[in-house]
Amino acid sequence: MTEPVKRFIAGAVCPRCNTMDVLKSWQADGFQHRECVSCDFVDAISLEMPEELPTRVNQTKLDPKDEIQVVKFIP
């Protein structure tokens, strides 16, 4: 297996040592990896999308308050 190409991230600041332009990034094994060349910071984030959590915005259940009701005025 070939070694993945590691690229520097222009303008990125290391979260640990706060130095700019020292982070390199690459993809391997379904993860996005970051590594600082100045300190010992290493990070990996999964590239798989997690299942969306149910919220009130993405629910399809109808709210009874949203039903249209006819109102009749009696004179």
Side-chain angles (χ1 to χ4, degrees):
M1 185 167 173
T2 62
E3 185 71 23
V5 177
K6 298 179 180 182
R7 301 172 192 259
F8 279 95
I9 307 170
V13 177
C14 175
R16 181 169 293 151
C17 67
N18 293 324
T19 308
M20 186 182 284
D21 294 334
V22 292
L23 285 179
K24 55 185 175 177
S25 175
W26 70 96
Q27 291 182 6
D29 303 325
F31 287 91
Q32 179 73 33
H33 299 273
R34 293 186 303 171
E35 179 180 72
C36 180
V37 296
S38 178
C39 68
D40 59 349
F41 174 77
V42 178
D43 188 14
I45 301 171
S46 176
L47 293 174
E48 293 182 17
M49 295 295 294
E51 184 178 318
E52 187 174 15
L53 297 173
T55 64
R56 65 178 177 88
V57 176
N58 64 9
Q59 294 294 314
T60 57
K61 182 178 157 186
L62 295 176
D63 190 359
K65 294 183 291 185
D66 293 336
E67 291 182 20
I68 297 175
Q69 297 178 355
V70 178
V71 178
K72 293 183 181 179
F73 291 103
I74 303 175

